[in-house]
Amino acid sequence: MANTKKNRFFSILVSYGLVAVTYSQGVTGAEESSSDTVTVMESQVGSSITLGGSVVPFRKVTLSAQIPGRVDFIAGSEGDKFSGNQVLVAINDASLLAKRRAALAEFNNTTASIQNARMQYSRELYSPQSKRISGSPGMGMPSMFDQFVTQPMADVMPGNAGGDPWLDRQADLYSQGTQLSQAQGQQIRARAQIEEIDTKIRDARSVAPFPGTILRKLVEVGDTVQPGQALLKYADTTYLQAQIEVPARHVQHMSKGMMIPAKLDVGNNRFDARVAKIFPVADSQRHTVTVKLDLPQGIPAGPGMYVEIMVPDKSSSASSMPLIPISAVMWRGSLPAVFVVTDKDKTQLRMVRLGDQVGNDMVSVLSGLKAGERIKTNPSAGQASGWSSGRIN
């Protein structure tokens, strides 16, 4: 009965603002659970450096124009996904098709020339036509007259004395063979022109080299492009990586397949990343080495996002630091703080300096706390210094 009157009188004082209440759970009269208070423990924490990097796709290409012309077709826009071997950008190829028809006509002409040269060679081989006598062979008379009269006369004519009929025939065969070879060479050149034009026609189509997503579209339908001009950026975003620049003195402590803690700049997501590739050459100006790490699937990350990698620093020895639960940290603006429980079971707000996160739910403390002190693990949003951790009677 006395306690009831005491509480009623205390409530009247509070309602008139004569007493400032600084009690938390004691106001409800409920006993605080011992699980809300923990003792700060000390543990060996290795040194590490935090390096910032960017999230990059596992595979990324920039499709560029190979021929000059006007863009006639673009398959989609940023964010659209495609399977492999799909046409992404097409450039007008009407002029190339016209050149191909001309080259094909030239190829047909050379084919006819080859057939004619082959026929002339065969005729010379099986039916020699001597060119030692000018004009019509036999002067229009039978070949018998050529054999007994015209040919002997030709042999004694000035310039033809001592002629060799067999040598003349070989020269005629060689001449016909040369014409055949020239015709075949022209056909090969015409075929090469057609193949060159076909290659350019294929280059007029930019095809997806693998399943992926359009990251950025750099041209629009109707734009005129020149060889080498970028058309769009295309990447496979199924698998993501983190790319960081590591100081050369720390690369020696890293190896392929090593698991390193990382933090994504979205929702404070923490995870372990696996070292996938360490570049063999350092940058000559910044003296850093590029390192790529595989990120686990399912994290809310995208190309270009900021990521932090905690690279181990084995050049300095591990030190003993207090460890506290992350849930015990209260943020006052940009300053971290915790509620320390004093010997009189009162809470005291204390600013601390945090170190690296250890695991998924613990963080090291550089200054502000020491091992053996008790802290609140889940302080309420409106809690202030001086609150009691016990029960109000």
Side-chain angles (χ1 to χ4, degrees):
M1 188 68 175
N3 289 337
T4 302
K5 292 181 179 180
K6 181 179 178 181
N7 292 337
R8 185 179 302 172
F9 176 73
F10 182 76
S11 300
I12 293 174
L13 293 179
V14 171
S15 62
Y16 282 96
L18 300 177
V19 175
V21 179
T22 58
Y23 298 93
S24 59
Q25 297 180 0
V27 176
T28 61
E31 181 79 20
E32 180 185 18
S33 174
S34 61
S35 61
D36 290 340
T37 302
V38 296
T39 302
V40 178
M41 305 297 294
E42 194 174 57
S43 177
Q44 294 287 332
V45 180
S47 300
S48 63
I49 59 172
T50 301
L51 300 177
S54 300
V55 178
V56 297
F58 177 69
R59 290 183 293 181
K60 178 181 178 182
V61 295
T62 300
L63 301 180
S64 303
Q66 302 299 314
I67 62 172
R70 185 183 67 254
V71 177
D72 283 348
F73 171 78
I74 298 179
S77 58
E78 290 82 354
D80 292 343
K81 296 183 178 181
F82 300 90
S83 59
N85 298 324
Q86 280 190 271
V87 177
L88 300 179
V89 182
I91 300 176
N92 186 275
D93 57 358
S95 61
L96 293 176
L97 294 176
K99 291 181 180 179
R100 190 183 190 280
R101 290 192 295 268
L104 185 59
E106 182 66 22
F107 179 81
N108 294 333
N109 293 337
T110 57
T111 302
S113 299
I114 290 176
Q115 294 174 353
N116 180 60
R118 186 178 289 115
M119 180 61 67
Q120 296 298 326
Y121 181 83
S122 300
R123 187 183 69 174
E124 185 64 31
L125 180 64
Y126 295 105
S127 179
Q129 300 293 317
S130 176
K131 297 181 186 232
R132 295 167 58 196
I133 304 175
S134 61
S136 175
M139 296 178 291
M141 296 181 181
S143 60
M144 184 66 70
F145 185 83
D146 286 340
Q147 182 177 0
F148 293 100
V149 179
T150 308
Q151 190 64 49
M153 291 177 62
D155 291 338
V156 299
M157 289 178 64
N160 289 336
D164 188 348
W166 182 86
L167 184 59
D168 292 339
R169 184 189 179 199
Q170 293 302 316
D172 292 340
L173 284 175
Y174 185 81
S175 176
Q176 295 297 333
T178 301
Q179 294 180 9
L180 178 60
S181 299
Q182 290 176 349
Q184 291 174 342
Q186 292 175 358
Q187 186 186 50
I188 294 175
R189 183 175 61 182
R191 182 184 293 112
Q193 291 177 351
I194 294 176
E195 293 175 353
E196 180 182 2
I197 295 173
D198 288 341
T199 301
K200 292 183 178 180
I201 292 176
R202 287 193 299 269
D203 290 341
R205 307 285 187 271
S206 296
V207 180
F210 46 80
T213 306
I214 294 178
L215 298 183
R216 186 179 180 186
K217 187 172 61 172
L218 304 175
V219 294
E220 296 291 344
V221 175
D223 286 344
T224 301
V225 296
Q226 297 297 325
Q229 182 176 345
L231 302 177
L232 54 83
K233 296 183 181 296
Y234 184 81
D236 179 10
T237 57
T238 304
Y239 304 98
L240 298 175
Q241 293 181 321
Q243 180 172 325
I244 59 174
E245 299 295 331
V246 182
R249 64 180 181 275
H250 295 292
V251 175
Q252 59 181 341
H253 304 306
M254 303 177 66
S255 60
K256 187 176 181 180
M258 182 179 181
M259 303 299 293
I260 298 179
K263 183 180 72 171
L264 188 65
D265 192 27
V266 175
N268 197 26
N269 285 279
R270 293 180 178 269
F271 48 86
D272 289 334
R274 183 176 65 250
V275 177
K277 184 177 182 180
I278 301 176
F279 284 63
V281 180
D283 187 274
S284 59
Q285 296 181 351
R286 295 182 295 178
H287 306 291
T288 58
V289 178
T290 302
V291 177
K292 287 187 176 182
L293 303 95
D294 293 330
L295 303 183
Q297 289 185 290
I299 61 174
M305 289 186 177
Y306 179 77
V307 62
E308 291 182 349
I309 308 295
M310 290 69 174
V311 178
D313 183 10
K314 295 185 179 181
S315 59
S316 58
S317 59
S319 57
S320 298
M321 293 184 181
L323 291 181
I324 62 174
I326 296 178
S327 60
V329 179
M330 295 284 292
W331 291 91
R332 293 295 185 263
S334 60
L335 301 177
V338 295
F339 280 104
V340 180
V341 179
T342 63
D343 295 337
K344 297 181 180 180
D345 287 340
K346 300 291 184 178
T347 58
Q348 179 185 8
L349 183 65
R350 187 181 299 176
M351 299 297 175
V352 294
R353 181 186 174 192
L354 300 179
D356 296 331
Q357 183 171 335
V358 180
N360 294 326
D361 53 0
M362 302 294 289
V363 64
S364 61
V365 179
L366 300 178
S367 61
L369 281 178
K370 61 182 179 179
E373 292 185 306
R374 293 185 302 159
I375 61 173
K376 302 285 291 183
T377 57
N378 293 288
S380 60
Q383 187 170 346
S385 296
W387 286 33
S388 173
S389 60
R391 179 179 62 188
I392 296 178
N393 295 324

